[in-house]
């Protein structure tokens, strides 16, 4: 059950019951936060992936739950003017392509509407008066994803690589993807073919056996350097020498090869142990003139083309004199803090992944930045500790995961109450929730959405505040 579905539990109407396989006709009223169409059958919520607002559709019941119905789109009886042909044939089979059938201007409007809906639900102080401009989109909203994490399995005697089918662990073989940076798909297909040719055992989830679980391919768009990481069941990698020789010979753009060990059945892609196999340990991306080295587990925005736009929007609200102390929370490889370092006195940042922090400190040195320091740990623990030690930040920029800010971090932000504060969010729901507390001391000046993930339901936004 998604969070969105849970939020609408109160729409249940006693006595409404349907049977899996049953069909009925409904009108789609709006899109949910996962991009699915939402309608009502006898006043009971119905979630229909692939259906668009204002469409009249025939659906087939997949699951009847106490508070809502999940259904499959069977026939479109009245088509939305915003419907387009999906770029990828499997767009409605796997996650991450769910809006390919929606015209791009309507996608941008949907992402702005998501923010407004979340604000209306949580009602932070003054929310009706927030300035919420139109979403900033891409000129060409395809071929942007700089990383692919594909599950590798054997199906019908063939090695396949791709993403899980919705609500299952069946892997959909993705030999093409219009959303991936082309070099990523070139390398992915070649590496998977090598695994098959060399007969390296791939993971069998039912038996918890085999070796290669996932192949991760990341490309640095500015340099076209490629990093390949094999996520394996154990440290043992059969035919490793032959595999590395073929990569070196056939894929010269691959300059970094690594192995990550992630044993057992788990929903997590990454394990804790990463082994360097060949080439460099990192690849180098360039953003706004700075070079950033990336180790396999280090976070970088998936859309290198729009990342400068995102950060420029974040920096627009800052008034910098060169005397400020800036905290870069959830820092990853240090992109935000290092890009601002030449305009402030000091940058401090943190991340929970040790390799990312190593990258961030290395990237400071690589770019001859001497006023930035990064530390391993959770923002909600380190910021209060820094405050207790007497560190008093003038600026805090937070870029948390989809879960948003921990209450302890919000408390630390409100305790330090820096004069300048920027929140970069990738989840409108947790953003709106966090604003309820943050607006005790801050007034929201602007929420600017930026489309970092075209053709998906993901929405990124920059929130600019003024201290009350």
């Amino acid at each position: 059950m998604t969070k969105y579905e849970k939020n609408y539990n109160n729409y249940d109407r006693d006595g409404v019951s349907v049977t899996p396989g049953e069909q009925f006709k409904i009108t789609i009223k709006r899109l949910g936060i996962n991009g699915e169409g939402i309608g009502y059958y006898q006043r009971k919520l119905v979630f229909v992936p692939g259906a668009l607002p204002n469409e009249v559709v025939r659906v087939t019941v997949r699951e009847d739950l106490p508070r809502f119905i999940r259904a499959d789109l069977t026939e479109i009886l009245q088509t939305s003017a915003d419907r387009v042909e999906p770029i990828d044939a499997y767009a409605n089979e796997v996650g991450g392509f769910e809006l390919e059938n929606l015209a791009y201007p309507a996608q941008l409007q949907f992402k702005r509407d998501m923010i407004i809906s979340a604000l209306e639900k949580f009602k932070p102080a003054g929310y009706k008066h927030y300035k919420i401009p139109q979403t900033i989109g891409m000129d060409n909203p395809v071929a942007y994803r700089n990383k692919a994490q594909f599950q590798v399995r054997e199906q019908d005697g063939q090695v396949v690589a791709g993403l899980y089918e919705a609500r299952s662990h069946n892997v959909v073989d993705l030999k093409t993807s219009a959303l991936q940076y082309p070099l990523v798909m070139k390398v992915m297909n070649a590496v998977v073919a090598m695994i098959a040719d060399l007969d390296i055992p791939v993971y069998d989830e039912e038996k918890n056996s085999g070796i290669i679980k996932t192949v991760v391919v990341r490309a640095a768009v500015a340099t076209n350097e490629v990093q390949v990481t094999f996520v394996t069941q154990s440290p043992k990698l059969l035919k490793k020498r032959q595999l590395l020789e073929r990569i070196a010979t056939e894929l010269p753009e691959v300059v970094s090869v690594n192995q990550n060990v992630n044993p057992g059945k788990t929903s997590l892609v990454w394990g804790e142990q990463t082994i360097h196999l060949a080439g460099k340990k990192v690849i180098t991306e360039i953003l706004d003139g700075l070079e950033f080295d990336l180790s396999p587990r280090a976070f970088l925005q998936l859309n290198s083309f729009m990342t400068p736009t995102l950060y420029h929007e974040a920096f627009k609200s800052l008034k910098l004199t060169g005397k400020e102390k800036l905290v870069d929370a959830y820092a990853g490889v240090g992109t935000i803090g290092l890009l601002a370092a030449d305009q402030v006195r000091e940058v401090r940042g943190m991340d929970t992944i040790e390799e990312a922090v190593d990258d961030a400190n290395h990237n400071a040195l690589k770019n001859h930045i001497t006023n930035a320091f990064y530390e391993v740990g959770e923002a909600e623990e380190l910021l209060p500790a820094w405050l207790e030690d007497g560190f008093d930040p003038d600026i805090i920029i937070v870029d948390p995961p989809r879960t948003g800010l921990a209450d302890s971090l919000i408390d630390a932000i409100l305790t330090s109450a820096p004069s300048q504060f920027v929140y970069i969010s990738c989840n409108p729901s947790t953003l709106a929730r966090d604003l309820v507390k943050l607006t005790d001391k801050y007034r929201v000046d602007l929420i600017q959405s930026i489309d970092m993930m075209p053709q998906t339901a993901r929405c990124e936004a920059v929130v600019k505040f003024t201290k009350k």
Side-chain angles (χ1 to χ4, degrees), residues 89-368:
Y90 46 77
N92 292 317
E93 294 181 42
V94 299
F97 304 83
E98 51 272 358
L99 295 186
E100 277 196 7
N101 58 0
L102 182 64
Y104 193 55
Q107 291 185 35
L108 299 179
Q109 183 61 47
F110 162 68
K111 295 186 181 192
R112 180 177 182 268
D113 291 344
M114 284 176 66
I115 294 171
I116 294 171
S117 295
L119 294 172
E120 288 173 346
K121 178 188 172 187
F122 287 95
K123 298 179 171 53
Y127 75 96
K128 291 183 178 180
H129 305 292
Y130 294 173
K131 184 179 179 182
I132 309 175
Q134 291 299 320
T135 304
I136 299 171
M138 293 185 73
D139 292 336
N140 185 27
V142 294
Y144 64 85
R145 291 184 186 173
N146 56 35
K147 184 170 74 169
Q149 296 182 166
F150 283 4
Q151 311 302 318
V152 184
R153 301 290 186 269
E154 183 174 315
Q155 293 178 357
D156 300 323
Q158 301 293 319
V159 174
V160 302
L163 302 174
Y164 290 129
E165 188 178 357
R167 303 188 187 281
S168 82
H169 272 210
N170 297 323
V171 172
V172 177
D173 189 13
L174 304 186
K175 294 189 182 303
T176 64
S177 171
L179 305 190
Q180 292 286 354
Y181 188 56
L183 187 55
V184 169
M185 289 306 297
K186 175 194 171 184
V187 171
M188 178 67 75
N189 287 330
V191 167
V192 172
M194 293 174 194
I195 293 170
D197 289 346
L198 293 170
D199 201 24
I200 302 172
V202 300
Y203 186 59
D204 184 318
E205 194 167 5
E206 288 187 7
K207 298 178 181 177
N208 193 30
S209 63
I211 295 178
I212 297 179
K213 288 181 165 183
T214 308
V215 173
V216 183
V217 177
R218 172 150 64 178
V221 172
T223 61
N224 273 339
E225 292 185 338
V226 178
Q227 184 176 69
V228 174
T229 305
F230 298 98
V231 181
T232 60
Q233 167 84 333
S234 72
K236 185 178 182 180
L237 179 55
L238 290 180
K239 301 184 181 178
K240 178 170 61 179
R241 180 180 57 80
Q242 296 98 310
L243 179 60
L244 294 177
E245 285 176 352
R246 286 194 59 177
I247 290 173
T249 302
E250 300 173 30
L251 296 170
E253 54 269 85
V254 176
V255 300
S256 174
V257 186
N258 302 272
Q259 178 184 0
N260 178 266
V261 183
N262 187 19
K265 293 184 178 181
T266 172
S267 60
L268 301 176
V269 172
W270 295 95
E272 292 300 317
Q273 182 186 11
T274 301
I275 304 164
H276 176 236
L277 298 181
K280 304 191 298 181
K281 291 185 177 180
V282 297
I283 57 173
T284 303
E285 183 63 282
I286 301 173
L287 297 172
D288 269 4
L290 295 187
E291 295 185 358
F292 294 93
D293 285 351
L294 309 171
S295 58
R297 293 181 63 208
F299 171 78
L300 183 75
Q301 294 282 350
L302 282 173
N303 189 336
S304 299
F305 301 99
M306 288 294 284
T307 296
T309 300
L310 177 69
Y311 293 161
H312 290 168
E313 287 299 319
F315 296 153
K316 269 185 187 179
S317 64
L318 300 178
K319 296 179 176 64
L320 303 177
T321 66
K323 298 179 181 179
E324 290 80 15
K325 291 175 286 185
L326 182 151
V327 169
D328 177 10
Y330 307 95
V333 297
T335 46
I336 293 174
L338 296 181
L339 286 169
D342 65 342
Q343 302 174 69
V344 300
R345 186 173 82 188
E346 180 184 355
V347 173
R348 287 196 190 187
M350 71 283 280
D351 198 279
T352 56
I353 297 175
E354 185 174 355
E355 295 98 313
V357 172
D358 289 342
D359 287 344
N361 285 315
H362 168 77
N363 288 331
L365 294 174
K366 185 182 182 76
N367 291 284
H368 310 292

Side-chain angles (χ1 to χ4, degrees), residues 385-456:
W386 291 348
L387 297 176
E388 196 171 313
D389 288 343
F391 178 73
D392 186 20
D394 305 290
I395 303 168
I396 295 179
I397 301 179
V398 296
D399 186 5
R402 290 182 59 78
T403 49
L405 302 178
D407 284 340
S408 55
L409 179 56
I410 293 176
D411 292 340
I413 292 169
L414 296 177
T415 297
S416 62
S419 58
Q420 302 187 68
F421 174 43
V422 178
Y423 188 146
I424 301 174
S425 167
C426 59
N427 185 340
S429 294
T430 54
L431 168 63
R433 178 204 68 196
D434 293 344
L435 289 179
V436 173
K437 292 187 72 174
L438 291 170
T439 48
D440 285 348
K441 288 193 177 178
Y442 290 93
R443 181 173 63 251
V444 174
D445 297 324
L446 175 74
I447 303 180
Q448 176 64 67
S449 49
I450 296 133
D451 194 14
M452 300 294 292
M453 296 284 285
Q455 319 301 334
T456 81

